[in-house]
Amino acid sequence: MDTMRDRFAPVMTRLLDEDPRLAVVLAEIGLDGFKDAMRAHPDRVINVGIREQLLVGAGAGLALAGLRPVVHTFASFLVERPFEQIKLDFGHQDVGGVLVSAAASFDWPEGGFTHMSPGDVALLDTLDGWTVHVPGHPDEAETLLRHAVAAGDDKVYVRLSVQANATPMPVDGAGFHTVREGRRGVVVAVGPMLDQVLAATEGLDVTVLYATTVRPFDAAGLRRAVGGAVAADVVLVEPYLAGTSTAAANDALVEVPHRVLGLGVARRELRRYGRVEEHVRAHGLDAGSLRERIGGFLG
Amino acid sequence: MTTTTEHTFTYGDLPRLMGLMTGDEKHGPAATSTLDALWVLYDRVLRVTPDRADDPARDRFLLSKGHGPMAYYAVLAAKGFLPVDWLEGFGSYDSPLGHHPDRVLVPGAEIGSGSLGHGLPLAVGTTLGLRARGLTDPRVWVLVGDAELDEGSNHEAIAYAGPAGLEQLHTLVIDNASASYARPGGIAARFEAAGWSALTVDGRDHEALYAAYTAPHAGRPHAVIARVEPKSV
């Protein structure tokens, strides 16, 4: 199977042909896929070199000039390094754009912690008005990229990862999707976590919601699912920093006595290389660990 | 909003307009470091007026050095972008005019600024965006301070814009010698090394400013370094 990132350049290349308002900004990373697009649209495929502050600032400048910028590099360099540019150049200037990251929480474990960004979504959560898409399959990534580009002047983050589920789900760029229904609680699986969550909850009497658009958080969807359960017990399984959406779930359930368990990538730095599956296991996000933790919580 | 004015303001009105904000008609060099450079730009160079504030083909002026914006507000008021009677509220809760400008609140302000090092990268993107839209006529100007140039984001922008040949881009550096560590070789040399056209002039001399602003610079972005009285004196 190809990766979400493999889809990025071909999808954007087609969209660049279709939409004269669209521009792609790169900082060396991901450049190879845009060679044809760069020839066809030299003014709208821009490589600023290894300059991430300029990458984001120039993206926002394109928006000030009336374009729809799509800004891409690894999550660490897109969200973390130039964070103030995201906050001020898009937020404070009140302009829109699409940030598309790759490398996610630990897509390249051999590369070590410098190329890991489990905190990206939590960081964006400190800002107002960002839509956050976390696709769980390359097909979903393609759909959500198209939603992001077409979302007027909205500020949208799309998080691409090599972690993926075996089969795509229908995604609409908005609410959560009910995959399984049960009565003992609600498990929210975000993006690439779905396969592990379904395996972990096999035979358990729980509702599983699938979330690929996590901001805005589908509070109504969560409340509906909780309404069908015996107790308002919610487990969030996120492929990034554990607890990132716990506050959003708590806010959604403020009228109901409830419990929330937030599972995801631990804050502690592992200082390990290796393979993605080894990191999934180390953070307790494999099906076996998840079954133990979800089962223990729901009792 | 009333942007029409009974009489045409001149350079001589600016101290009074600044006085409306500060209650003082005598301003030190720090408060007026940008005044002459801004006035000449708005009075004789920029092709933008209040009724063209949303015209895609207007020239853009981005105030990156948002600290001490009184001179900027005075010039915007003199040119009719904002009502003179807004000036007295400067910095108050009900005023759109803060100690750093907000583009969402201030008519004619292309960007909000205050945090240093954002204007030049935004100006680079704006220039690229205009070019991508086929708008090769409008010029983009960004004003930075000499100490602001210390910010790494500016160096990313300078290093990119020269080789990229962004001819529509213009940087106006107000040099009041406020950087803790002077730039070896001078500020113009930094721009020239990155492939920019650069001129250094007396920032109080209106004719010299005008000549530097309008100097040809085919195929290259252009920097004007306007020297004014040192801040520390």
Side-chain angles (χ1 to χ4, degrees), chain B:
Chain B
M1 189 175 70
T2 51
T3 50
T4 51
T5 45
E6 288 298 318
H7 81 289
T8 306
F9 289 95
T10 66
Y11 177 73
D13 294 309
L14 296 176
R16 184 178 63 79
L17 294 176
M18 289 181 70
L20 293 173
M21 284 171 272
T22 59
D24 180 8
E25 291 205 15
K26 282 176 69 66
H27 293 97
T32 67
S33 66
T34 60
L35 187 64
D36 296 277
L38 280 172
W39 176 257
V40 175
L41 202 55
Y42 270 91
D43 195 46
R44 298 172 67 181
V45 176
L46 292 177
R47 294 163 301 176
V48 59
T49 49
D51 58 321
R52 286 188 67 194
D54 296 318
D55 181 354
R58 71 189 182 278
D59 285 347
R60 308 309 199 265
F61 173 77
L62 282 60
L63 182 79
S64 184
K65 191 194 83 73
H67 303 43
M70 291 89 78
Y72 182 51
Y73 292 148
V75 170
L76 287 178
K79 289 295 174 187
F81 287 92
L82 53 92
V84 169
D85 60 15
W86 282 15
L87 298 176
E88 278 186 283
F90 179 59
S92 66
Y93 187 76
D94 292 322
S95 173
L97 307 184
H99 291 205
H100 299 123
D102 182 338
R103 74 180 288 267
V104 173
L105 303 177
V106 183
E110 297 283 359
I111 62 167
S113 54
S115 180
L116 298 175
H118 289 261
L120 193 41
L122 285 168
V124 165
T126 302
T127 306
L128 290 166
L130 291 172
R131 193 172 74 179
R133 292 181 68 186
L135 298 165
T136 52
D137 196 38
R139 301 173 196 122
V140 178
W141 283 83
V142 57
L143 184 152
V144 302
D146 68 298
E148 182 183 5
L149 280 180
D150 290 351
E151 295 285 1
S153 52
N154 285 326
H155 291 270
E156 293 187 3
I158 292 166
Y160 168 78
L166 299 187
E167 185 180 331
Q168 287 172 270
L169 177 65
H170 302 72
T171 300
L172 167 57
V173 183
I174 301 297
D175 179 10
N176 63 351
S178 60
S180 290
Y181 301 95
R183 197 158 298 288
I187 294 170
R190 169 71 186 94
F191 283 91
E192 284 164 351
W196 290 56
S197 152
L199 291 170
T200 303
V201 295
D202 176 349
R204 299 300 183 190
D205 181 335
H206 291 197
E207 289 310 317
L209 285 165
Y210 179 74
Y213 290 164
T214 54
H217 50 92
R220 292 187 292 168
H222 185 50
V224 174
I225 295 90
R227 281 196 173 137
V228 296
E229 306 78 8
K231 183 185 181 185
S232 52
V233 171

Side-chain angles (χ1 to χ4, degrees), chain A residues 42-44 46-48 50-55 57-58 60-62 64-67 84-85 88-89 92-95, chain B residues 60 101-104 110-113 115 117-118 121-122 124-126 128-133 152-153 156-157 159-160:
Chain A
D43 287 343
R44 291 191 288 123
I46 295 149
N47 174 32
V48 298
I50 308 171
R51 300 186 176 96
E52 284 84 12
Q53 294 184 70
L54 178 62
L55 173 78
L62 284 158
L64 284 169
L67 276 81
E84 198 199 43
Q85 271 76 14
L88 296 181
D89 298 355
H92 184 56
Q93 303 304 341
D94 195 26
V95 295
Chain B
R60 308 309 199 265
D102 182 338
R103 74 180 288 267
V104 173
E110 297 283 359
I111 62 167
S113 54
S115 180
H118 289 261
L122 285 168
V124 165
T126 302
L128 290 166
L130 291 172
R131 193 172 74 179
R133 292 181 68 186
S153 52
E156 293 187 3
Y160 168 78

Side-chain angles (χ1 to χ4, degrees), chain A residues 231-294:
Chain A
D233 292 342
V234 175
V235 183
L236 303 167
V237 186
E238 302 183 274
Y240 35 74
L241 203 61
T244 297
S245 296
T246 300
N250 276 323
D251 287 347
L253 300 175
V254 69
E255 308 284 346
V256 193
H258 65 273
R259 296 190 303 145
V260 177
L261 172 66
L263 303 179
V265 177
R267 194 170 252 104
R268 176 177 54 89
E269 188 182 335
L270 284 182
R271 296 191 190 279
R272 295 280 186 167
Y273 301 101
R275 291 178 294 112
V276 169
E277 307 81 71
E278 291 171 308
H279 284 251
V280 168
R281 204 158 45 244
H283 290 289
L285 296 172
D286 60 297
S289 306
L290 285 175
R291 182 164 187 106
E292 214 166 286
R293 296 163 85 188
I294 294 168

